[in-house]
């Protein structure tokens, strides 16, 4: 029943409740863009699953279960499209200064895979996250609840672009976590989806493509099923990226499976999802600091749940953005108020 559905804004869990994980944002004040550092300086086994057809990523090959490296030391999520991948270099430098990284005898090499989303239509595209931005995000990292909405990697995120950017709405970044028997699984998701975003429990349309007058939600799924023709979309101009983390003891192969199943959370919250114009990518981290595991059935259930809630929170907590010479993009709170 809808009346018994959880209040997503009242959800108190967040990814930094996972032991061994800290989160930091850098939000650029010059235009809507930024980056988000998910740090695990003591190391974590990691996996990744890329479902979108237009991804922008760094060092994902080393996460394959058959490859040598067993642990990473952080994940960088960033705006700025391909240029934003440079923000991971700043995280590598910061982590090296903290003494974190793969011991190679003569020093340490921090391993920081990354994924980016396309936000370069929002203002001056020459302003994008770089190594200095990534370093700054790490400097703010902590284990308190990270800011959500229009911050960090979600600052320039936009959703619901199937019928054009001018009828879209503001995206953002959100987090959630669940704990069972002393083991926590959390997620942080930057939602810049081509599709609409729904309440994962009730199916209520929260935000997305708007009607031609911009005053109400259109419902992309129903419009397409009724024969409405989508506007041409630039490949790679959308993407939902995120990290699922747990303090359970898991193997590298299990981390990969956790990333795979976590995409079920995206499918519960976004429609359409994993399109040819999205670069949807989710990483998974396992810090082992809880000292035990719950079994993969439970971990995967929690992962998908955390991703679904984090995605919806990213939209519910976003704020409208105004840019000179561009249409104002409202947020979910503006249409539901």
């Amino acid at each position: 029943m809808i009346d018994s559905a959880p209040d997503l804004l009242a959800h108190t869990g967040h990814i930094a409740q996972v032991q061994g994980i800290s989160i930091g944002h850098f939000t650029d004040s010059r235009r809507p863009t930024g980056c988000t550092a998910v740090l695990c300086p003591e190391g974590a086994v990691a996996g990744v699953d890329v479902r979108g057809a237009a991804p922008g990523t760094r060092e994902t090959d080393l996460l394959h279960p058959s490859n040598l490296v067993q642990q990473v030391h952080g994940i960088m999520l960033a705006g700025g499209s391909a240029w934003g991948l440079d923000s991971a270099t700043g995280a590598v430098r910061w982590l090296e200064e903290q003494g974190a990284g793969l011991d190679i005898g003569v020093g340490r090499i921090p391993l920081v895979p990354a994924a980016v989303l396309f936000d370069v239509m929002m203002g001056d595209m020459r302003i994008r996250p770089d190594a200095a931005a990534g370093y700054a995000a790490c400097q703010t990292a902590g284990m308190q609840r990270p800011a959500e909405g229009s911050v960090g990697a979600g600052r320039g995120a936009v959703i619901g672009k199937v019928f054009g950017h001018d009828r879209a709405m503001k995206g953002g970044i959100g987090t959630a976590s669940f704990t069972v028997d002393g083991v926590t699984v959390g997620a942080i998701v930057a939602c810049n989806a081509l599709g609409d975003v729904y309440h994962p429990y009730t199916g209520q349309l929260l935000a997305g493509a708007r009607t031609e007058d911009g005053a109400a939600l259109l419902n992309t799924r129903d419009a397409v099923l009724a024969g409405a023709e989508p506007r041409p979309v630039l490949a790679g101009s959308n993407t939902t990226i995120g990290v699922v983390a747990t303090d359970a003891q898991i193997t590298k192969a299990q981390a990969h499976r956790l990333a795979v199943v976590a995409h079920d959370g995206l499918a519960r919250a976004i429609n359409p999802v994993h399109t040819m114009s999205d670069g949807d990518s989710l990483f998974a981290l396992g810090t082992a600091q809880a000292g035990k595991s719950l079994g993969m059935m439970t971990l995967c259930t929690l992962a998908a749940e955390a991703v679904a809630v984090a995605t919806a929170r990213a939209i519910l907590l976003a704020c409208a953005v105004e840019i000179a010479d561009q249409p104002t993009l409202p947020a979910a709170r503006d249409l539901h108020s």
Side-chain angles (χ1 to χ4, degrees):
M1 294 177 60
I2 291 178
D3 289 344
S4 64
D7 180 355
L8 300 181
L9 291 180
H11 181 82
T12 59
H14 58 86
I15 189 172
Q17 290 177 326
V18 175
Q19 298 175 68
I21 297 293
S22 59
I23 306 293
H25 294 305
F26 169 79
T27 304
D28 204 308
S29 61
R30 298 170 295 171
R31 83 161 183 92
T33 193
C35 58
T36 298
V38 180
L39 301 178
C40 44
E42 297 176 50
V45 296
V48 66
D49 187 37
V50 179
R51 294 283 181 92
T57 57
R58 160 182 163 143
E59 290 194 317
T60 52
D61 284 351
L62 64 81
L63 301 182
H64 191 278
S66 68
N67 288 342
L68 177 64
V69 170
Q70 292 301 304
Q71 292 192 325
V72 302
H73 307 92
I75 303 290
M76 183 63 72
L77 308 176
S81 191
W83 290 282
L85 291 171
D86 192 35
S87 58
T89 301
V92 169
R93 180 162 62 90
W94 186 87
L95 284 162
E96 182 186 28
E97 292 174 359
Q98 313 312 308
L102 176 66
D103 188 353
I104 57 169
V106 295
R108 291 182 177 271
I109 301 177
L111 299 174
V112 184
V116 293
L117 55 80
F118 185 98
D119 61 8
V120 297
M121 303 293 285
M122 304 287 285
D124 186 350
M125 71 167 289
R126 294 171 296 181
I127 299 171
R128 53 248 185 176
D130 56 12
Y135 189 94
C138 294
Q139 288 181 303
T140 71
M143 292 178 288
Q144 69 277 9
R145 184 181 194 95
E148 298 171 86
S150 301
V151 297
R155 179 68 179 102
V158 178
I159 65 166
K161 291 161 278 189
V162 173
F163 297 100
H165 193 276
D166 57 336
R167 292 168 60 181
M169 292 181 66
K170 190 68 184 67
I173 193 167
T175 184
S177 73
F178 296 91
T179 301
V180 173
D181 193 23
V183 170
T184 300
V185 179
I188 189 165
V189 176
C191 185
N192 187 56
L194 177 70
D196 298 343
V197 175
Y198 293 80
H199 192 302
Y201 298 113
T202 69
Q204 176 193 5
L205 177 59
L206 300 177
R210 292 173 290 144
T211 53
E212 289 189 18
D213 64 5
L217 294 172
L218 175 66
N219 193 315
T220 296
R221 176 183 57 199
D222 291 353
V224 171
L225 289 174
E229 186 174 353
R231 290 259 299 270
V233 180
L234 178 65
S237 58
N238 312 276
T239 287
T240 297
I241 53 178
V243 178
V244 174
T246 181
D247 42 29
Q249 294 175 324
I250 58 174
T251 66
K252 192 176 178 184
Q254 288 172 327
H256 170 73
R257 178 52 51 184
L258 205 62
V260 170
V261 176
H263 276 275
D264 293 351
L266 294 186
R268 286 172 49 198
I270 303 170
N271 192 333
V273 69
H274 304 142
T275 74
M276 292 297 290
S277 296
D278 283 291
D280 302 330
S281 304
L282 291 180
F283 296 91
L285 298 171
T287 69
Q289 292 196 17
K292 60 181 178 179
S293 186
L294 300 175
M296 285 301 292
M297 178 65 74
T298 302
L299 292 177
C300 287
T301 300
L302 298 179
E305 197 79 358
V307 167
V309 173
T311 302
R313 285 181 60 87
I315 302 311
L316 292 172
L317 293 169
C319 299
V321 61
E322 296 184 17
I323 301 174
D325 302 321
Q326 292 186 8
T328 297
L329 294 178
R333 64 177 70 185
D334 301 315
L335 292 192
H336 292 290
S337 61

